Amino acid sequence: MAVGRVGLFWRSTIGKKIVMAATGWIMVAFVIVHMLGNLQIFSGAAKINAYSAFLHNSIGELLWAARIILLISVLLHIVAAIQLARIDMAARPVGYARKQRQAATVASSTMRWGGLALALFIAFHLMHMTTGTIHPETFTPGDVYGNLVGSFQIWWVTLIYVLAMIALGLHLFHGVWSSARTLGVNRPASNPFRRPVATVISVIVWAGFTLVPLAIFFGWVR
Amino acid sequence: MELNSRIPAGPIEQKWDRHRFEMKLVNPANKRKYTVIVVGSGLAGASASATLADLGYHVKCFCFQDSPRRAHSIAAQGGINAAKNYQNDGDSVYRLFYDTVKGGDFRSREANVYRLAQVSVNIIDQCVAQGVPFAREYGGLLANRSFGGAQVSRTFYARGQTGQQLLLGAYQALERQIALGSVEMYPRTEMLDVVVIDGKARGIVTRDLVTGKVESHAGDAVVLGTGGYGNAFYLSTNAKGSNVTASWRAYKRGAAFANPCYTQIHPTCIPRSGEYQSKLTLMSESLRNDGRVWVPKRKGDTRAPDQIPESERDYYLERKYPSFGNLSPRDIASRAAKEVCDEGRGVGPNGLGVYLDFADAIKRLGEDVIRDRYGNLFEMYERITAENPYKVPMRIYPAIHYTMGGLWVDYNLMSTLPGLHVIGEANFSDHGANRLGASALMQGLADGYFVIPYTIGDYLASAKLEKVDTSHPAFKDAERCVVERTKKLLSINGRRTVDSFHRELGQILWDLCGMSRNAAGLKLALAKIPALRAEFWENVNVPGSDANLNQALERGGRVADFFELGELLALDALQREESCGAHFREEHQTPDGEALRDDEHFAYVAAWEYTGDGKAPALHKEPLDFEYVHLAQRSYK
Amino acid sequence: MTHTVAEPATARDEAPHAASRRGMNLTLHVWRQAGPREKGRFEQYQATNVSPDMSFLEMLDVVNEELMSRGQEPIAFDSDCREGICGMCSLMINGIPHGPSHGTATCQLHMRTFRDGDSITIEPWRARAFPVIRDLVVDRSAFDRIIQAGGYITATPGGPRDANEILVSKTTADMAMDAAACIGCGACVAACPNGSASLFTGAKITHLGLLPQGQPERNRRVLAMVAQMDEEGFGACTFHGECQEVCPKEISIDVIARMNRDFLTANLGSGGKHDES
Ligand SMILES: Cc1cc2nc3c(=O)[nH]c(=O)nc-3n(C[C@H](O)[C@H](O)[C@H](O)COP(=O)(O)OP(=O)(O)OC[C@H]3O[C@@H](n4cnc5c(N)ncnc54)[C@H](O)[C@@H]3O)c2cc1C
Ligand code: HEM
Ligand code: HEM
Ligand code: SF4
Ligand code: F3S
Ligand code: FES
């Protein structure tokens, strides 16, 4: 019976991991598209605002669909992350007096904190760029260009974004590589998802996003 | 005590089939009602437990390691023989039978050996079906190699880890039965006595090595697959835990001990490096296919090997045995190495070693070919000795490796104690005075998968077994003996450690009952061992308690039994006034120093009966007659 | 407290090629714990004049000999074959399972990998699923239960067809052998920051799953073994890759990817029926 099957899938650590990987990839896809969208700022206010308008008005339903899928993904991703983290920590109640890392990377060992940072960022970010709760006085719905340029004059806003993108970059550097294995994509023989792929994706995403706030802050875009 | 080998009548090819037909069967519905106790989870014990459980018997299986998967069979490297004739090089059941009888120097039972050769083919089928990853040809067929100087390619192997892969196959089958509830597994549990009720083995007494709890287990039959006793010599290629305790306690309860003096010495082991040495590591025999064995011609020549010119080297195996050379059989190669070292021509620290030199092979075939063939062995050697065998010749020395002797069993693998069956290295059955390479794995699995499952049924169906449980006084007595013995060991509080005694015993056995033996030396051993044993019981120090994990106590008990076995070993070697296989008596050799058998007086199995502490054991003889393989002097010249 | 351990004199010094070597002095910090429920602590011992040719366990033997000759209880540690194949030995040495040498079990580690004056911390494997029994000895029966759940191919003696009727390409056989080489030591669990048994479990699933004989039970096997692995309280794999580095048989984390793929297909495929077992 299907239900029990899904239940058992979710109950198993590998099941949860597969969910993390899948939702992770949905988010990866999103951030890549999102990043490309943001880069349109370099082709001027009209262009990017039009793009936004297009998203919100012309294909509004699609946008909502996307929002819902994203929301579900983030939630599943977070719930799985928390549950797995608790299982993993419970697996070693007594630690070592001395432990030498052999292979674990900064990225692999900061997935949880990085994830938490991303969670906080996303919350902040939505209040900032979508609802405008952070500084309503300067926020004008629809004027993406204005909102961006406005907010990234402020050093601490820029700083938050820059740091968040570092977290994202690291998260993806390990995540993209490891998710290939979680999904069992890589075959010993043909090994499509090796480090390079993860490195390229994470660097592109990190750079593509970080460019915008910095460009504005340093006044290349105004 | 009479020794009835129960060899079925009829021509040798038909004995086993006929016997299988004649044996009584247990009604499937009743099998559940029978409990079979299997001590040991090696190739023999694990395969027997899994198969008996599969047939429907209730099985209790015991081992002293933390998991059945760690039994010493795991260490076997070279391979397993089977008369498959896949290479079409003229192999056959009969040839394997013939080679094994001859290799055993005509001191084994023809009927058993023939059966072994017959079932060898089923073993490979069974193991492949279980998923044992044997080496393959590119075409997908099974690969073979020739091993231990055999003339045909009949050895199946899985890299250098054949024993591991075969054991894991049996272990996995065993774990499956455990999950199904048909086997109760007791790891970290040591058997310390056999319980005999009106003449039949009806159970065992064990000690839980973690909690120290002494416990009884009742059953309808007991099977020992507890391995060999090579560790009596302290330094051997066996695992640290390998011991004779189970067999020895059975001996003291009425099971005859056969041919204890047949102890095999393997020529290619890494020499010891110091006093602290805890075990010796085997280098696969296959190395002798390309390595040349030599020592300096001059005594005490301490020059580095590359400083010694060809003219001053003695390739003594090639010199003495032109036709077999470096591939001459284990016993011969070992003895030759000892001789040159005794002459003071040994190499390496403490002069106990000979060179196994690959320089010529590397010149001839290139380093890559050699790396391809022996890479992992060379690595192992370098890891242990920090010497690079591609540059410097290996140093090797013989070491105790396998024991052909063991508890006497009849054709049904039952000992002289009714109900007590013995399988694998623990019994004496199939290898005579010398075991050929790759035949012990074969025997362990033959016994466990294909022989004992039938013969146990016959015993259970024919023996009148009334219900007994552990409340029976015999169990209580046995438990008391075990507890008293343990308490005694802990209470001595002497000044010497268990290992220091074990080392000294090992040295005595190695020097006086090792590769070559003589009456004077054996008599000396028979004087030294009891004296040392007496000191042990006065002066050993076993700290700690018997209520938890106490490794010193475990060793203490085992070494105590090694003392008693060691004495019997020397006694057996002394009475066997001939040289055969691994047993070389200096008084009995041909003018050119070869082993001299005396078939007229010694073509028998020496089975020793325990007659009480301090009393001389009684010798019983099972005559061996050879209808098919004709008695001939082994010659490798 | 501190003990001094004198190594018995050896014939070593006669050795021409060993003349240069001399004994080392080491400080050991060893975890001592009387029983499963007792609380443990580190004890300090001095190992003096240690020969570089000794194996690590032989060095501990000598320390124990000395302790015992003074009527003290020896350090309990597991070992049996002492040639790197039984998987019994299991020591955390200076924060690395099986110590610093790559692809080497504790029993094959030799003292020449240490330097005079080193101090060495020795701990047991640490994992909820591997409770300490005493000192450095832990209970690894969880591994046996994972195998019980499905780490086998059902085959009854007498039944099988001739071995050569099943063809297995050399490459497949070699890959299966690579995975089958696992000695069940538990170093992967000990090393994994998540205490995950994925390398061990993945190795067995890979070995059996690669072979034609292993196909009929393939889905069942992975589902049951993974369920048992979780049941035992091991963590999940986040691909830190520590296990692969310390594995004495150098088993690759590719086996974990394979386990994950088999798990996924088993769930999608008809074999996903969990109640079947
Ligand atoms: C290094 C080495 C390499 C070898 N290579 C080969 C080879 O290439 N080919 C070949 O054919 N043979 C080889 N042999 C020989 C072969 O491995 C053994 O003879 C064979 O494996 C013995 O199997 P077994 O089941 O009889 O005993 P073992 O595998 O030794 O098992 C003994 C079992 O009994 C248990 N046990 C013992 N005493 C007690 C007790 N008192 N209480 C409870 N349990 C107990 C142990 O826990 C263990 O489970 C080799 C041997 C060695 C040492
Ligand atoms: C420098 C980095 C980033 C900048 C400049 C940026 C900018 C923006 C802007 C301007 C919007 C509003 C678009 C609109 O309303 O039309 C937006 C929306 C959003 N951003 Fe970002 N973003 C960044 C990084 C991220 C990251 C890393 C994530 C996710 C991990 C993210 C997730 C979102 C989401 C979910 C929305 C809401 C989309 C919707 O309206 O549903 N952003 N972002
Ligand atoms: C919203 C907050 C987030 C949290 C709390 C979080 C947390 C985590 C954690 C803890 C892991 C490791 C899981 C494991 O291997 O056990 C992980 C993996 C991953 N995350 Fe996130 N993450 C978040 C957001 C994101 C985002 C925005 C993306 C993509 C843009 C992402 C992509 C991934 C990927 C691809 C993996 C790899 C999964 C695998 O190893 O199989 N995560 N995340
Ligand atoms: S996978 Fe490697 S580390 Fe893990 S148990 Fe097997 S051999 Fe040991
Ligand atoms: S270290 Fe642990 S996280 Fe995975 S890759 Fe190895 S199991
Ligand atoms: S003791 Fe057997 S592997 Fe180390």
Side-chain angles (χ1 to χ4, degrees), chain B residues 67 69 168-179, chain C residues 140-153 182 184 200-205 207-208 220-221 224-226 228-229 232:
Chain B
S67 161
R69 71 178 288 149
L168 291 182
Y171 156 78
Q172 285 159 201
L174 173 63
E175 290 296 331
R176 173 169 170 266
Q177 294 298 334
I178 295 170
Chain C
R140 285 169 289 189
S141 51
F143 272 8
D144 291 321
R145 289 186 294 273
I146 292 176
I147 299 298
Q148 274 166 40
Y152 50 76
I153 292 172
C182 167
F200 169 80
T201 312
K204 187 47 64 188
I205 286 170
H207 159 211
L208 300 177
R220 222 211 116 251
R221 178 182 307 122
M225 289 180 78
V226 168
Q228 189 61 38
M229 179 176 80
E232 297 290 344

Side-chain angles (χ1 to χ4, degrees), chain B residues 301-374:
Chain B
D301 187 338
T302 55
R303 285 176 296 176
D306 56 344
Q307 301 304 313
I308 303 178
E310 278 301 311
S311 59
E312 297 178 38
R313 299 177 174 193
D314 177 11
Y315 294 89
Y316 57 89
L317 281 178
E318 298 168 17
R319 173 169 55 80
K320 287 182 169 168
Y321 309 100
S323 60
F324 276 69
N326 296 299
L327 287 174
S328 48
R330 290 178 178 181
D331 49 344
I332 293 183
S334 300
R335 215 153 40 234
K338 180 178 190 298
E339 273 165 29
V340 294
C341 292
D342 291 351
E343 293 165 14
R345 300 195 287 146
V347 300
N350 63 49
L352 292 175
V354 302
Y355 289 125
L356 180 61
D357 198 334
F358 291 86
D360 292 359
I362 291 173
K363 247 195 245 92
R364 195 172 69 252
L365 308 162
E367 188 163 325
D368 297 348
V369 178
I370 295 302
R371 177 170 283 104
D372 194 54
R373 286 185 192 167
Y374 311 110

